[in-house]
Structure formats: structure tokens, C-alpha cells
Amino acid sequence: MSGIMQPAPPPAEPQLISAQMLRVSQAENRWKTLFASKTFMFWSFYSFMSLIVLGFDLSIPGQVLAMPAFNQQFGYLYNGTWVTPALWQSLWNGMTAIAQCIGALCSSWICNKFGRRASYAFSSAICIVGVGIQFASRDWKLMMVGKAINGFGLGGCFCFGPLYVGENCFPELRGFYLVFLNSSIVYGQLFLALSAKWSAGLAGNASWLTLIGMQWIFPVATIALMPWYPESPYWILSKYNDLPRAERELTRLYGKQNEGLIKRRFNELQVEVAVISNLSQEVTVKDCFRGSNWSRTCLTFLCGSTQQVIGTSFIFGYIGYWASLIGIQQPFDVSIGVFVLGFVGNSIAFYTIERIGRRPLIVHGLLLMWILLLLIGGLGFADKNHAALSAVTAFLFIWAFIYQTTLGAGALSFSSEISDLSLRAYTQPLVTIGNAGVGWIFGFTCPYMINPDEGNLGARVGLVFGFFGVLAYVYVYFYVPETKDLTYTELSYLFDSKANRRHFPEAIAKHRAEMDEMGIKEITGEDDLKKEAVVHVERV
């Protein structure tokens, strides 16, 4: 650290670049940087590949429950129709969510102790085992065990991906790359819906076993490519301060042809590690609940849970089954329509999250989805005529598109970047716990709300999620800040200074101007870049 506190003399003819000019240049060239770093883009997608199974796992109940063979295997006759008991469904969903929370916590420890690659490989292997047990299941108890083991692995994958990508990508592209977290789930859901349309025509148990077996594709592919997967350069620097090894892994991560980008990112990583080292020599999970970190931890947990309270566990989890219950003739086609529009919306989010920002997507998206849920719920009181069912289907399609364009991408990206950099390995599991934990509540109750032998609410279930959607909207409107184009150091400054959450852009603009005027943020090279970080920390 002494080498950072007292940098070497500047070059003979230094070229001073103001921090403002540097920020503008980086923001304007973010897309050039993106397309130049195709190798990093590939490894970013790979970092979330096993998580595609989560898209399967979240939505598979709505597909297999619409298949007679599955209900005959696990259900009983009710008014001449095979129905899988709501209790079985609730236990499957509940055990999966609880296991995800436990898996996320274990993954956090493995990430810090043994490295990011070890955590990803372990979690992917667990997923393979869990899927295998589900494939062999012929009674609800063994199915529950398989889903719980798979959930444990998925919790680890959910924790790992944003951590690895967020700490190694360029700050101006952080939102773009974190959209991969939601994308992996969307890809899994769409792949499942298309597969279910085909497998529904297979005879007997093959119709639903095919869907379960397809989940093996992604964790198996992950394990196969693991020998070539670079270890996180950030983790190497923060754990061992091994500069040569970190630079080698960064070169593998970005491709040796991008020498300029590698040098810039390597300098930035050293700055970030220097900042954390100056703030604290060692952090523990207790630090997540101290000072300004407490409010950031709350945001991590609560913003991650907003996706569940607005109805994702209901619409994405049970769309096929629910559509058949309310009288829609082609439930698998409705599923495909919902997930295709979700895919399109998520694709748009790659651009809008860096162009528009996180806060507008989250706040305005929640408002629009809340309105649509009220309309869907209101139509539940109408007769099951063609016009009402067509309207419900249309609103579902619109809801899915808006969700994936706004909250789906925005909330997970925001929750994965809002915590202090030194605490991210501890707080990232809270994103999983907030999402899966609240999802457990709704996943457990959804079967009781919609099953024909229980609540049989039909479309009126939209009113239930509409109520919780109002509460979520009030919270995000007042407490969710904008994080676009902010470094982790600047986020720490804004929270420490208790800036108004709705006015982060104005507060950081003022702070940057003050720093520029004081001449603190003038960069002449690698050593001055490190010096800037130390001075900035001391002033904050």
C-alpha cells in the first residue's frame, strides 16, 4: 500500500486530463468499448449460463401442470380431472426458494475463500445432481428433494454471476453486463416454453421428463468450459495482491488484442482495491449493517424483492397452467407469447439501462405494471367470454414486455451494484434472499389461490399482486437512487453524505465540480490514478 500512497514522479512531459473530460470520454465511447471487448462479453454470458436453469425452474410448474401425464403421476382425480395437490406444489416451490437462500450464503463464503471459479463450478455441479434427482422422481417427496438440491446450486449461481461480472467490467458498462442476470432467466423461460409446446405432444411421462432433462444442458456446458474460464482479477488483487497473475487473468478475460483496454481496466482495479484497503483492512458481514451500509443493504434486499411482489411468481411461474384454468384454449401458445415478448423487452433493456438509467426503469415500470394488474384482476369478475379472455391475454403480453424492459432488468442490475464494493460478496446473497425469499411466500400461496380445488381466483389474483405493487411503488419512488455512470467510490460518497436519493445525479455533479476545481482529480498516469483514489478516500 505504501507504493500507492507515495507514487513515483510523473513523466517528464505529463499530459493532464481533467476528471470531467475523462468521464465524458468514457461515457461517449462506452459502445466502442463494448464491441471492442467481445471476449469479455462472451465470458460474461458464460458467467450466467448455469443460471438459465433458473428460468426453467421458475416457469416449469406452469408448463408441466398443464400436461395430463404429469398430473396423473403426481395428482388425484377431482371432478373427473387429474389435479396435482396445491400442497405438493407449494412444498416444491417453498423448498426450492429456501434452498436458493442457503446456496447463496454458502456461495458467498466459497467466493471469498476459494475464488470465484470454484464457487461457480461447485454450484453448477450441484445443479446437475438436483436435475438428475428430479428426472428420476416418480413421487412428490423425491421431486421435492431434487428441486431443493437444484435450488441450492441455483442460489450459488445467482450470487456468483453479478459478483464476478460487476467487479471486472468497465464502470460505464456495468448496467449493460448486469442485464445478463435477468437475460439468463428470460432465455431459460423462452426455451422452456418452446420446448413445452413440442414435448406436450409426446406420449406419457416423456412429455414432462423431456423438460426436466433439458435443464442438464446448461450446467454441463458450464463445467465443460470451466478449464478455460479466467479467475477474477479483482479477487486475485484483493486476496493476494498478485499483480502479474491478475494482469494475466485480465488479459485472458478481455483478449490480448485489447492492450489499451486491459491497461485502463487494470489501473482501475488497482484503484478500487486501494480504496478498499484504505477504508478498511478487513470487513465482515457485520459491516453490512453499520453506518450508511445499512441503508444500502436494505436497498439490495428490498429492491430485489420487488420483482416478486409485482406478480412474477404468478405470471411467469404459472402462466400455462393458469391460462388453461381460466379457459384459454391454447395455454402453451400464450406461454410462448409471454416469453417471446419478454425476450424482446429484455433485449431492449441492454440499451435503455445505460441510456435512460436504473431509477426511471424501476419506478415507471412498477407503476405501469400495477395498472395492468388491476385491469387483469378486474376482468376476473367478468364472464369467461371471448372478449374478456382476449383482453386478459393482451394485458398479460403487455405486462410481460414492460416487466422485462424495465423492472426485470433494472431491479436485478441495481440490487447487484448498490452495495459497497468491499461488501459485495456478503450482500450479493441478499439479492437472492430478497428475490427467492419473497418468491417463496408467493410461490407457496399461488397454488392455493389458483387451483380449482382451492381458491380458484382465476384472473382476480391480479388484484392481490396489485395491492402489493402499490407498496413497492411507494418504496422505490422515495428510496431508489440513480446509479448510472457512478463509480463505487462515488456511490459511497453519496450515501455517506446522506444525499437525497431522488437527486443523486445533481449531488454527484456538484461533488465532481468541487473536486475538479480543487485540482484533486487530475490524472497523469497509473501512479496518479492510484494517488487520486487515496486522496478521494481521505476527503470522503
Side-chain angles (χ1 to χ4, degrees):
M1 186 56 61
S2 60
I4 296 177
M5 294 294 292
Q6 298 180 8
E13 296 181 359
Q15 181 180 2
L16 296 179
I17 306 173
S18 73
Q20 178 64 22
M21 290 173 60
L22 185 63
R23 284 190 295 268
V24 171
S25 175
Q26 292 172 354
E28 289 179 346
N29 291 297
R30 62 160 55 95
W31 304 118
K32 292 182 180 179
T33 301
L34 173 69
F35 291 114
S37 51
K38 295 182 179 66
T39 304
F40 183 81
M41 189 184 302
F42 170 78
W43 288 122
S44 295
F45 177 77
Y46 170 84
S47 300
F48 294 106
M49 189 161 63
S50 283
L51 206 54
I52 293 176
V53 179
L54 182 59
F56 264 79
D57 192 77
L58 290 173
S59 301
I60 205 168
Q63 306 300 324
V64 297
L65 287 169
M67 296 177 176
F70 183 87
N71 291 311
Q72 289 178 26
Q73 182 67 50
F74 295 97
Y76 69 101
L77 277 174
Y78 175 77
N79 291 338
T81 304
W82 288 95
V83 177
T84 299
L87 178 60
W88 297 173
Q89 299 177 45
S90 296
L91 288 173
W92 291 336
N93 295 335
M95 291 304 297
T96 300
I98 292 173
Q100 283 182 29
C101 297
I102 298 172
L105 293 172
C106 292
S107 175
S108 173
W109 178 79
I110 296 173
C111 278
N112 281 335
K113 183 71 174 179
F114 301 104
R116 311 318 195 206
R117 291 174 76 249
S119 174
Y120 194 26
F122 174 75
S123 298
S124 298
I126 293 295
C127 287
I128 293 173
V129 175
V131 172
I133 294 176
Q134 292 178 64
F135 192 83
S137 299
R138 295 299 182 272
D139 66 84
W140 72 271
K141 294 177 183 178
L142 189 59
M143 177 65 77
M144 182 175 67
V145 172
K147 289 185 73 66
I149 293 175
N150 189 41
F152 181 92
L154 290 174
C157 294
F158 198 98
C159 175
F160 159 81
L163 178 64
Y164 181 95
V165 172
E167 67 190 10
N168 291 304
C169 70
F170 287 102
E172 66 270 22
L173 289 169
R174 191 174 60 233
F176 175 91
Y177 283 117
L178 289 177
V179 172
F180 275 126
L181 174 58
N182 189 61
S183 298
S184 59
I185 300 172
V186 174
Y187 299 156
Q189 290 171 331
L190 178 58
F191 187 30
L192 171 68
L194 293 171
S195 301
K197 173 71 174 177
W198 164 75
S199 70
L202 299 178
N205 286 344
S207 59
W208 59 271
L209 282 174
T210 300
L211 298 183
I212 290 178
M214 283 182 173
Q215 296 176 90
W216 269 317
I217 297 172
F218 308 103
V220 168
T222 297
I223 296 295
L225 290 173
M226 189 61 67
W228 295 275
Y229 188 41
E231 180 57 90
S232 169
Y234 175 85
W235 179 77
I236 294 170
L237 285 174
S238 60
K239 184 76 173 178
Y240 302 109
N241 196 30
D242 188 341
L243 270 66
R245 183 188 172 196
E247 190 170 19
R248 286 197 304 270
E249 295 299 292
L250 190 67
T251 301
R252 293 177 60 203
L253 195 56
Y254 277 91
K256 60 183 179 180
Q257 72 278 7
N258 291 315
E259 183 177 348
L261 292 178
I262 293 169
K263 182 177 180 180
R264 178 197 150 195
R265 187 60 192 140
F266 190 56
N267 289 343
E268 290 174 346
L269 287 174
Q270 292 178 78
V271 167
E272 291 165 3
V273 172
V275 168
I276 293 172
S277 298
N278 275 271
L279 286 172
S280 175
Q281 292 300 315
E282 184 176 358
V283 295
T284 66
V285 68
K286 294 180 181 179
D287 293 300
C288 299
F289 308 99
R290 293 172 177 163
S292 63
N293 286 327
W294 165 241
S295 60
R296 299 172 77 170
T297 300
C298 289
L299 279 170
T300 297
F301 177 85
L302 292 173
C303 198
S305 67
T306 56
Q307 295 181 317
Q308 296 296 335
V309 302
I310 201 64
T312 55
S313 56
F314 154 59
I315 293 180
F316 292 141
Y318 284 89
I319 181 62
Y321 181 48
W322 177 77
S324 67
L325 291 178
I326 66 173
I328 294 176
Q329 296 300 313
Q330 300 294 333
F332 293 112
D333 290 343
V334 172
S335 297
I336 292 174
V338 164
F339 294 128
V340 166
L341 285 172
F343 173 82
V344 174
N346 183 82
S347 301
I348 294 173
F350 278 104
Y351 175 76
T352 56
I353 198 165
E354 293 294 358
R355 182 68 176 178
I356 299 175
R358 285 63 151 167
R359 176 179 163 83
L361 293 180
I362 295 171
V363 173
H364 300 322
L366 262 174
L367 179 61
L368 292 173
M369 287 184 289
W370 171 70
I371 294 172
L372 287 168
L373 285 172
L374 294 184
L375 294 174
I376 291 171
L379 286 169
F381 293 95
D383 295 331
K384 291 184 179 180
N385 54 50
H386 178 73
L389 293 177
S390 297
V392 168
T393 303
F395 289 144
L396 282 172
F397 287 167
I398 297 171
W399 187 98
F401 177 78
I402 292 175
Y403 170 81
Q404 300 294 5
T405 309
T406 58
L407 186 68
L412 289 180
S413 297
F414 176 87
S415 297
S416 299
E417 68 182 351
I418 195 63
S419 63
D420 187 274
L421 188 60
S422 63
L423 297 170
R424 289 195 67 221
Y426 295 112
T427 57
Q428 191 60 42
L430 294 178
V431 181
T432 307
I433 293 172
N435 197 287
V438 177
W440 171 80
I441 298 174
F442 290 111
F444 194 92
T445 56
C446 265
Y448 287 96
M449 288 191 284
I450 67 175
N451 246 38
D453 59 335
E454 299 291 346
N456 198 27
L457 289 180
R460 289 169 292 177
V461 74
L463 297 177
V464 176
F465 291 100
F467 168 76
F468 290 105
V470 172
L471 302 180
Y473 176 77
V474 172
Y475 174 78
V476 301
Y477 179 80
F478 287 103
Y479 291 103
V480 170
E482 179 56 73
T483 58
K484 183 173 77 76
D485 293 334
L486 296 179
T487 66
Y488 286 116
T489 306
E490 290 173 333
L491 278 172
S492 295
Y493 164 78
L494 290 167
F495 278 100
D496 290 341
S497 63
K498 294 180 170 56
N500 188 302
R501 303 278 181 87
R502 287 178 290 159
H503 301 293
F504 266 26
E506 294 85 352
I508 198 59
K510 180 180 178 181
H511 173 67
R512 287 169 174 173
E514 291 173 351
M515 298 294 282
D516 286 344
E517 289 176 5
M518 296 170 65
I520 290 176
K521 286 194 147 188
E522 288 187 334
I523 303 172
T524 62
E526 175 181 340
D527 292 329
D528 287 304
L529 193 61
K530 299 176 185 177
K531 177 182 178 182
E532 171 210 313
V534 175
V535 175
H536 182 72
V537 171
E538 291 172 346
R539 290 189 174 275
V540 171

